[in-house]
Amino acid sequence: MLRQLEGRPLNRAELVSRTAATDHQVQAVLDELIGTSHVVRRPQDIGPADYELTPLGVERLAQVGRIAASPVPVAKRRPPLSRPKAARRPAPAPTRPAPRAPRFAAEPKPADRELIVNLAKSLGIGVVFAGVLILSGSSVILLLVALVVTAGNMFASYRSWADKRRTK
C-alpha cells in the first residue's frame, strides 16, 4: 500500500483498482497505516478523500526498499532477537464448524423471558381490543379505558416480575 501511495495521493477506489484487493481490505490497511502515522487522510471538497504518505511513511517505505535490496538471502537472515523461537507444530486438519442456529447477542434469562412474554401478551390483548373499538366506531372514552387497562396489566406484570427478583 505504501508503494502505491509513493508517487501521489490516491483515493480508496484508486487503491482498490491498483492493488486488486477488496474495498474492505484496503480500508482496513489504510486504517492501520493512519493509526501508525504512516498515512494521512485528506478530505476533498468534491469527491472521496485522498490518502497521502507522511514523512514517517516515506521513511518506512525506504526501510522496506533497503531490506528488499539487501544482498543477504532471506533464508540466511537472522531472526529478530525480540522474538523467541517457537516449536513448530503440525498444522491442524481443517475442520468445518457445525452449522449453528442464529442466536441473539444476549439471550434473556428465563425470568426475564417470562416478563417479556407477559408484557407481549398484555400489549397484544390491548391492541386487539383497541382495534375492535376503533372498527366498531366506539367513543374515544372507551378507547382510553382500553389503553388504561392495558397499561395497568403491563404494570402489574412488571411488578410481579420485580417482586420475584427481589425475593431471590
Side-chain angles (χ1 to χ4, degrees):
M1 191 68 64
L2 294 173
R3 278 212 178 98
Q4 298 301 323
L5 294 170
E6 185 176 18
R8 65 181 181 91
L10 300 172
N11 64 38
R12 192 171 70 218
E14 292 170 325
L15 289 167
V16 167
S17 67
R18 286 178 177 223
T19 60
T22 66
D23 185 54
H24 181 70
Q25 290 169 329
V26 168
Q27 187 61 52
V29 171
L30 286 172
D31 289 342
E32 184 178 335
L33 290 172
I34 289 170
T36 58
S37 300
H38 290 102
V39 172
V40 66
R41 181 178 186 264
R42 303 251 187 246
Q44 303 299 313
D45 291 335
I46 299 175
D50 285 340
Y51 295 89
E52 183 179 359
L53 285 178
T54 63
L56 186 62
V58 172
E59 176 58 33
R60 183 66 176 165
L61 185 60
Q63 288 174 349
V64 170
R66 285 192 298 271
I67 291 171
S70 174
V72 178
V74 174
K76 293 190 177 187
R77 290 186 189 150
R78 290 184 359 191
L81 297 176
S82 62
R83 289 186 188 169
K85 287 191 176 184
R88 288 194 166 213
R89 297 181 200 160
T95 59
R96 288 193 171 176
R100 294 185 336 180
R103 299 184 75 162
F104 292 106
E107 192 169 317
K109 295 177 183 173
D112 297 341
R113 198 173 310 135
E114 178 184 339
L115 170 67
I116 293 167
V117 168
N118 288 338
L119 289 175
K121 284 179 183 177
S122 297
L123 183 62
I125 292 169
V127 167
V128 168
F129 277 123
V132 168
L133 290 173
I134 290 171
L135 291 176
S136 66
S138 298
S139 69
V140 175
I141 294 175
L142 286 177
L143 191 59
L144 288 175
V145 168
L147 175 68
V148 169
V149 169
T150 300
N153 287 339
M154 292 177 76
F155 184 71
S157 295
Y158 172 75
R159 284 294 272 194
S160 67
W161 173 81
D163 290 340
K164 285 180 187 176
R165 283 194 69 151
R166 272 192 225 116
T167 58
K168 287 184 179 179

